[in-house]
Amino acid sequence: MSTPALDADCGLLFVGHGTRDAAGTSQFLQLATLLQQCLPDTPVEPCFLELAEPTIEVGLQRLVGRGVSRIVVSPALLFSAGHIQHDIPVAVRDAVNQLGGARLDVVQAAHLGCHPLVVELSRQRYEDAAQSHPIPAAAVDFSADATGLVMIGRGSRDQVATAEMQQFLALRRTQSPVAQAWLGFVAMAQPTTAAVLAAAAASGLARIVVQPHLLFAGQILTDLHRQVDELRRTQSRIQWIVTAPLGVDVLLARTLAELAIQAIIPAESFGILQ
């Protein structure tokens, strides 16, 4: 099925959270390039909510300068919480006001959530990490029956976001069968990362795959690697594997493009991007 295009007068404001980590910023901008390739006839301007530049105001100014009058705000965020519900809409509204009353039709696309392509990309990251680590010679059975999955989310005080993360793990378990799975959070939600890593270490399983459910590199990923490195030292009988974050991938770009189109065109008029 062919993919509908956004209207000629429409532009995409691609909004990332922002980080002081240079690698994370670079990865976001690379994803913006892939997103532009998915929507070749639509102006795409990347920007950040905080901590990095260009700002939302600058991104909006650039789109207006390119002649657009309709804007889809595309948030590069996994779950709906304060940034989706409040911070980004307010920042965009303030940026529109700073343009001196420019006549703009603005709509915000949905967050990434449990979109099937995001679930599939997460599965691929798991498989890539598991297959790249050879089975220890001492292991008798290294099937799924001997493997545990620890999925780590950023965390939110929003119960809906937490529930959606739990749903995401449930979907992943249908694609990556494991003996046990745990969900932990870096902050603002329970259980903590430390608690679920401790539970995994005490499970008796031979291999633990730790999967950060994050978009890009940054301090959270660095800290998680440090925690797992310590477990490799103190719990050396277990093979500890850390997957890559979702990162720069065409599946993620395709998801963002589809969500942007859905914000304007009724969802029943098209299917998943091919």
Side-chain angles (χ1 to χ4, degrees), residues 85-104:
Q85 299 165 15
H86 179 267
D87 300 339
I88 290 176
V90 168
V92 171
R93 181 197 64 199
D94 291 347
V96 171
N97 290 338
Q98 287 296 319
L99 291 175
R103 299 187 64 178
L104 295 173

Side-chain angles (χ1 to χ4, degrees), residues 58-82:
V58 169
L60 196 63
Q61 289 172 346
R62 290 174 177 173
L63 284 176
V64 171
R66 296 173 71 176
V68 307
S69 59
R70 305 177 69 197
I71 292 177
V72 178
V73 179
S74 174
L77 294 172
L78 290 168
F79 299 112
S80 178

Side-chain angles (χ1 to χ4, degrees), residues 1 14 17 38 41 48 53 77-78 93 128 134-135 139 141 143 151 158 178 197 224 226 234 242 273:
M1 183 177 296
F14 183 44
H17 177 274
C38 288
D41 299 322
F48 298 95
E53 294 183 342
L77 294 172
L78 290 168
R93 181 197 64 199
D128 290 345
I135 298 173
D141 178 9
S143 65
M151 184 161 282
D158 188 295
V178 291
L197 288 174
L224 182 60
R226 186 178 300 114
T234 61
V242 182
L273 299 179

Side-chain angles (χ1 to χ4, degrees), residues 148-193:
L149 171 63
V150 175
M151 184 161 282
I152 302 297
R154 182 182 295 270
S156 169
R157 294 186 179 89
D158 188 295
Q159 294 183 355
V160 174
T162 300
E164 194 170 18
M165 181 73 207
Q166 292 167 341
Q167 179 187 0
F168 190 91
L169 177 59
L171 290 169
R172 275 298 321 286
R173 288 200 72 178
T174 67
Q175 297 192 3
S176 302
V178 291
Q180 288 183 254
W182 298 265
L183 175 61
F185 299 96
V186 174
M188 296 183 288
Q190 296 293 327
T192 65
T193 299

Side-chain angles (χ1 to χ4, degrees), residues 13-25:
L13 187 69
F14 183 44
V15 184
H17 177 274
T19 175
R20 294 185 178 90
D21 185 273
T25 299

